[in-house]
Amino acid sequence: MKSSVSVRLGLVFGIVIFFTVAISYVYLGGQLRTLFYDGIKNEIYKELELNRQLLDVFPEKWSDINSSDSWADDVGAALEVRVTLIALDGSVIGDSYISPDRLSFVENHLARPEVQGALQEGFGESTRFSETVGEDMLYAAVLLGKESPYAVLRFAKPLHDIRLLEAELRKGIEGALFWSLLLSLMFGALTAFLLSTPLRRIAAAAENFVHGDFTFRLDGKRNDEIGQLSRAFNFMSDEMKRMGQQEEWFKAVFSSIREAIIVTDPRGSIILANPAACKLFKLQCGDMLRSRPGRKVTNAQLLDLFERVRLSSKPIVKEEMLVMTERGERVLQTSAMPVIKDSYSDGTVFVLNDITRLRNLERIRRDFVSSVSHELRTPLTSIKGYTETLLEGALDDREDAMNFLRIILQESEQLTALINDVLDLSKIESGRIEYKFTSVSIEDVVLKTVALFRRSLEKKSIDLQIQIPSDLPPVFADKDYLEIVVRNLLDNAIKYVADDSGRIRIIAFPANDMVRLEVEDNGAGIPQKNLGRIFERFYRVDKARSRQIGGTGLGLSIVKHIVLSHKGNVEVRSRQNLGSVFSITIPVASPQRQELSSS
């Protein structure tokens, strides 16, 4: 159970004071007993000495035992002590507690310690239980007769009386000590409260500091230790507030850096990572990772990089490496800077720049230039060759000349189609096209496109099926570009189905707030390994056959960019030699979309 500082201080003060008073009581009791006994003995000694001087010579009347006993009774009554006269042979010749007729029956006192002390040294004392009186007594005895000793005079004081007086004195002492204890406890409690009040304020300030509140200020005007502690707390508050602001600034800057930044300790464990690194390597962290020691990246290439930097203690600048992450294979441009402290590595700062997209763009650019060059070179070479043949004399052979001219015309059309597709794709990718979104009927677009390809369909005897429900909602699209999409899909299907046995089915149906259009054919199909790249520019599964049937390799790329610009999606499902299904989804033309477009 929690207890406050004031309670604990009060308890400590109380225990200290209690034991101090208890020890003082025991010590003072013993001292008082000793002093009291010594005082009584001194008093008895004085009285004995006085009477010894008065009785230096044996009184003649003591020859009668009644006279000596009467003297003992008178002195005992006057001094309030027991007075005993003892002859040198030990017989009792007077006692203030015993009547004269009983003195003869009293035991001989020669062996008493105080009597022996008086006979041998002139003075003796003893404390013991008296069989005659029946209680504890303090005995003191002197030898009477300076020149010629004749008897021993003994005074005895009952210890009971001494104890009663001692008890009275102890009561007074106990009362004084009780009030001293009570006042001391009150003073201790007040002192503890006064001492704990500033400590409670310091504790409250520390609690606020723990919870991030640095506005609490302590009174630092005192010149004692509490004042020094308060000033130290105020200074700490200002420093923590300043450090907190710096940490927030550092965190904001660190979190806004797009490059992945990882800081490791000398053993290679991650101690700090920004959101970009957490996202790249799927580390569990919020705005920033401050992991417990032992967390490590499991990627083999990164571990090798960490180990190389740790062993060499030399910086690495813009080293490229392939790393497999949750997002697939990524190209990272890595820089590493060891933190050297006192000639030892205190950790390493790694900056990992994901340049995958840049490298992909460079590859696409190279592929594009190579593909365009190749696609242009083939028809141009063909045109040049046949033209040279005609010029060299084949022009006179009408049949060959007409055949060559048809080939030149076909290659020119292929070249024109290629250039038009490249220009269209360039405009689409650059975002310079201003789409005119309206409510468009999918059925109208499909029927118009089918009409354009009627001759091709009839020429290859293709079985075309169109399944579009009459209540299909219109889509929100640019009609002209939607026609380009459908035209490319239907054109591909016609090109890759076999003559006489070809079958194409066009299906449209609603899917949530989208309309799904599928163009299915029973053509050659696409191998699984090629499905992921089918929408890339100039990508062909069978390049020789594609060029032979007049494909440019850009149609599906154009389809993808137009559909994505319409906030839709394009997919393909295919099995080799069993056909393909190309699907696009276009948003339904809702009133909200039309109002947004018109505004």
Side-chain angles (χ1 to χ4, degrees), residues 545-576:
R545 184 165 182 245
S546 297
R547 187 173 296 108
Q548 182 181 358
I549 61 178
T552 63
L554 296 175
L556 290 179
S557 182
I558 292 173
V559 168
K560 177 183 177 182
H561 283 85
I562 292 176
V563 172
L564 292 178
S565 299
H566 281 65
K567 302 295 188 294
N569 191 25
V570 59
E571 299 173 354
V572 59
R573 305 189 305 276
S574 182
R575 295 178 64 185
Q576 196 168 8

Side-chain angles (χ1 to χ4, degrees), residues 35-165:
L35 292 174
F36 187 67
Y37 276 34
D38 291 344
I40 290 177
K41 284 192 288 186
N42 290 335
E43 188 68 24
I44 291 176
Y45 291 160
K46 290 179 181 179
E47 293 171 353
L48 283 172
E49 182 64 23
L50 177 63
N51 283 277
R52 186 180 68 80
Q53 293 178 3
L54 294 174
L55 299 174
D56 187 44
V57 179
F58 180 78
E60 295 180 0
K61 59 181 179 179
W62 283 9
S63 300
D64 182 5
I65 196 170
N66 290 323
S67 177
S68 60
D69 184 71
S70 176
W71 182 89
D73 292 340
D74 293 339
V75 173
L79 299 179
E80 295 181 349
V81 295
R82 178 186 176 185
V83 179
T84 305
L85 288 171
I86 304 167
L88 295 179
D89 60 359
S91 60
V92 177
I93 58 175
D95 194 303
S96 60
Y97 277 25
I98 303 173
S99 58
D101 55 343
R102 294 179 55 196
L103 290 176
S104 59
F105 300 103
V106 175
E107 182 182 358
N108 189 284
H109 281 38
L110 184 63
R112 298 289 194 273
E114 67 276 6
V115 175
Q116 287 295 319
L119 292 174
Q120 295 174 8
E121 300 178 6
F123 182 84
E125 66 173 275
S126 176
T127 301
R128 67 178 183 277
F129 181 79
S130 174
E131 295 292 343
T132 305
V133 180
E135 63 177 307
D136 292 330
M137 303 285 285
L138 172 62
Y139 297 96
V142 294
L143 185 63
L144 296 179
K146 186 175 182 180
E147 297 296 334
S148 177
Y150 59 89
V152 174
L153 175 62
R154 188 183 71 179
F155 286 176
K157 187 79 171 178
L159 294 180
H160 175 70
D161 295 340
I162 298 174
R163 290 195 181 97
L164 287 178
L165 184 58

Side-chain angles (χ1 to χ4, degrees), residues 124-335:
E125 66 173 275
S126 176
T127 301
R128 67 178 183 277
F129 181 79
S130 174
E131 295 292 343
T132 305
V133 180
E135 63 177 307
D136 292 330
M137 303 285 285
L138 172 62
Y139 297 96
V142 294
L143 185 63
L144 296 179
K146 186 175 182 180
E147 297 296 334
S148 177
Y150 59 89
V152 174
L153 175 62
R154 188 183 71 179
F155 286 176
K157 187 79 171 178
L159 294 180
H160 175 70
D161 295 340
I162 298 174
R163 290 195 181 97
L164 287 178
L165 184 58
E166 181 184 357
E168 291 297 325
L169 289 174
R170 281 185 175 273
K171 285 182 181 180
I173 295 173
E174 288 172 357
L177 291 177
F178 170 76
W179 287 108
S180 299
L181 178 62
L182 182 61
L183 291 175
S184 299
L185 288 175
M186 292 175 61
F187 176 75
L190 180 61
T191 303
F193 177 77
L194 294 176
L195 287 175
S196 63
T197 298
L199 293 179
R200 283 196 298 270
R201 289 180 58 83
I202 294 174
E207 187 72 19
N208 290 337
F209 294 167
V210 170
H211 292 89
D213 181 11
F214 306 116
T215 59
F216 198 89
R217 308 294 294 178
L218 296 172
D219 183 13
K221 297 179 180 179
R222 300 173 55 161
N223 293 323
D224 55 5
E225 290 79 1
I226 298 295
Q228 294 177 352
L229 186 59
S230 299
R231 289 190 292 272
F233 261 89
N234 291 337
F235 177 76
M236 288 171 56
S237 173
D238 295 337
E239 287 298 303
M240 291 173 69
K241 184 176 181 181
R242 183 181 61 81
M243 292 173 62
Q245 291 176 343
Q246 289 183 346
E247 182 178 2
E248 290 299 321
W249 296 336
F250 162 75
K251 185 177 179 181
V253 173
F254 197 62
S255 300
S256 64
I257 297 176
R258 296 178 58 184
E259 288 80 6
I261 298 178
I262 296 176
V263 181
T264 64
D265 61 13
R267 296 184 302 274
S269 299
I270 298 177
I271 59 176
L272 188 64
N274 69 339
C278 296
K279 183 179 179 181
L280 182 62
F281 297 105
K282 294 296 181 182
L283 301 175
Q284 296 296 325
C285 59
D287 293 336
M288 201 168 302
L289 169 70
R290 296 179 184 278
S291 71
R292 297 184 299 273
R295 182 187 289 268
K296 292 181 177 290
V297 170
T298 57
N299 186 276
Q301 293 96 327
L302 278 182
L303 290 176
D304 178 67
L305 175 66
F306 290 178
E307 187 66 15
R308 281 195 291 120
V309 174
R310 186 180 68 84
L311 294 177
S312 66
S313 299
K314 295 180 180 179
I316 294 177
V317 180
K318 295 184 178 181
E319 177 182 303
E320 291 191 14
M321 59 189 303
L322 286 176
V323 176
M324 183 59 67
T325 68
E326 295 289 336
R327 297 166 57 189
E329 192 175 66
R330 314 297 294 177
V331 181
L332 301 181
Q333 189 179 72
T334 305
S335 298

Side-chain angles (χ1 to χ4, degrees), residues 263-264 266 309 313 336-349:
V263 181
T264 64
V309 174
S313 299
M337 179 61 69
V339 179
I340 305 300
K341 185 177 181 181
D342 298 331
S343 301
Y344 293 97
S345 175
D346 199 37
T348 309
V349 179

